[in-house]
Structure formats: C-alpha cells, structure tokens
Amino acid sequence: MNSKERLLEVLRGGIPDRVPVSLFVQEEYLSYFYPGKEIDRVKTATECAEYYGFDIITKSKEFEPVPYFFKRSYPNWELSEETWEKDRIVYTRHQIRTPAKTLQEVIAVPDTDHGTAGVSASVREYLIKDESDIEAFIKYVPDIDKDTLAHMKEFCDWSHRVIGDKGIAAPWMWSGVYNKATELRDIQELMVDPYD
C-alpha cells in the first residue's frame, strides 16, 4: 500500500498493511528544518514526509485563518485592513462598513519569524460587541461567492497533485459554527446571549 491508500483504508475503518504514521508538521518545524526556504503547508510538508518516509496528512491554512468575508469587500460590506507590529506582536485590524454601522476587530499573533504563519491568532477586540453588531452582521454578511468556491476547488485540486500517493489533504477551514462565534464575540457574552 502507498501512503494515500493506507490513510484512506484507516478512515474507511479497514486494516492497512501497517499503522500509518502522520506527523503534525507546520510552519514552526518546517522553517527550522528548511532554514531560509519559502514554507508551504502542502508542498514543503510533502517534501518533509518524503525525506522521513511518513504518511502525510497536510493541514493547509489557506482558508482557516480568515474567512472569505474578511478577505475582500462585497456590496454593503466594505472591508479595510491594517497590520502593524509592536514588541514582536503582529496586530491586524479589520473594519467592515455596513449601511447600519462599522464593525471592527483586532487580532494578534507573536512574531516568530518564519514560523509565525503557523501560530493561531488571538482576538484582542471582538467584531461583535453588542446586539446592534449582531444585527448588522447577520443582515449584511455576504454569502460565499463563486470566485471563493472556485479558488477552494482549484486549491484542493493543486494539493492533490502535489501530494500524489504520499498522503491526503485535510485543509483547515473556518471552524464550526460555535468555534467561529467565539472568535467573533467574547465567549462570556456569547454564553449569556441566549438568555438575553
């Protein structure tokens, strides 16, 4: 069995020729292993799997850190973004102007040089702060567009070509509804919203 067949057999509930071994490799390790090289969670991780001989499950963040509605403007959803660094922390501010009001969030991530892209950001200012923010968000958040869906398909096709029979792709997405809600609204507020 090749790595792809082995991993898929386990996911189907079958018994492969051996236990698959898939290490969790991302920017932090890859930037250490390949110093000075442009790091990609699909391409470079697949090269690393070939080098060590393990079964790769790539975990691309192409779509995970920022949902489509934080990547560009839409009708009634005008997006602006600002990034700055202070004390080795990289901050990003998203502002979204809707006809009802302007929404704003600030996220932060430590600057770890080449490995920074693999670190998850933490929220410093939540996008949804009160009931009027919830109403504006629900009313104006755009539906996912055809260009974004086409990009997703193209990226997945590219990933499959790069990985080949060395493994499978499991790209990270925007997380589940509850997890995404905790990124947009302070969890303490989110927990009492149903009661309010």
Side-chain angles (χ1 to χ4, degrees), residues 83-144:
T83 300
W84 69 96
E85 184 174 336
K86 181 180 178 188
D87 300 327
R88 293 196 47 89
I89 303 290
V90 179
Y91 298 88
T92 302
R93 174 184 294 118
H94 293 111
Q95 279 193 334
I96 299 165
R97 285 193 173 86
T98 73
K101 67 184 306 184
T102 298
L103 306 172
Q104 175 175 290
E105 78 162 6
V106 177
I107 58 173
V109 64
D111 181 356
T112 60
D113 299 319
H114 296 295
T116 298
V119 179
S120 294
S122 62
V123 180
R124 297 296 175 99
E125 179 182 337
Y126 288 92
L127 185 76
I128 298 175
K129 299 168 190 68
D130 58 35
E131 191 173 331
S132 66
D133 292 343
I134 294 171
E135 290 169 0
F137 182 86
I138 290 171
K139 183 172 183 178
Y140 295 108
V141 67
D143 290 333
I144 194 165

Side-chain angles (χ1 to χ4, degrees), residues 3-188:
S3 292
K4 181 177 185 175
E5 293 167 339
R6 186 173 300 119
L7 289 162
L8 291 175
E9 184 64 25
V10 168
L11 292 173
R12 288 186 199 105
I15 305 218
D17 60 336
R18 68 165 173 78
V19 174
V21 176
S22 184
L23 305 177
F24 186 61
V25 289
Q26 59 186 44
E27 290 85 352
E28 293 90 332
Y29 177 74
L30 293 170
S31 62
Y32 165 79
F33 190 68
Y34 296 107
K37 183 174 183 166
E38 181 81 24
I39 301 301
D40 179 276
R41 276 192 178 214
V42 175
K43 196 170 157 188
T44 318
T46 302
E47 291 172 17
C48 185
E50 284 182 279
Y51 178 84
Y52 283 117
F54 63 84
D55 311 299
I56 188 72
I57 301 176
T58 64
K59 295 168 183 70
S60 170
K61 289 181 81 170
E62 179 73 10
F63 307 107
E64 184 264 336
V66 182
Y68 67 95
F69 53 80
F70 278 142
K71 290 193 175 184
R72 69 178 184 86
S73 294
Y74 293 83
N76 297 318
W77 189 268
E78 184 184 328
L79 172 70
S80 64
E81 180 179 288
E82 175 188 7
T83 300
W84 69 96
E85 184 174 336
K86 181 180 178 188
D87 300 327
R88 293 196 47 89
I89 303 290
V90 179
Y91 298 88
T92 302
R93 174 184 294 118
H94 293 111
Q95 279 193 334
I96 299 165
R97 285 193 173 86
T98 73
K101 67 184 306 184
T102 298
L103 306 172
Q104 175 175 290
E105 78 162 6
V106 177
I107 58 173
V109 64
D111 181 356
T112 60
D113 299 319
H114 296 295
T116 298
V119 179
S120 294
S122 62
V123 180
R124 297 296 175 99
E125 179 182 337
Y126 288 92
L127 185 76
I128 298 175
K129 299 168 190 68
D130 58 35
E131 191 173 331
S132 66
D133 292 343
I134 294 171
E135 290 169 0
F137 182 86
I138 290 171
K139 183 172 183 178
Y140 295 108
V141 67
D143 290 333
I144 194 165
D145 58 282
K146 290 179 185 176
D147 291 342
T148 299
L149 292 172
H151 174 61
M152 290 175 155
K153 177 156 182 8
E154 289 167 11
F155 184 81
C156 290
D157 290 345
W158 173 81
S159 295
H160 288 292
R161 286 193 304 276
V162 169
I163 299 163
D165 62 2
K166 298 170 202 73
I168 60 175
W172 286 5
M173 296 301 281
W174 307 305
S175 67
V177 173
Y178 181 77
N179 289 0
K180 181 47 69 184
T182 64
E183 294 172 14
L184 299 174
R185 182 149 169 82
D186 186 306
I187 193 166
Q188 296 176 58

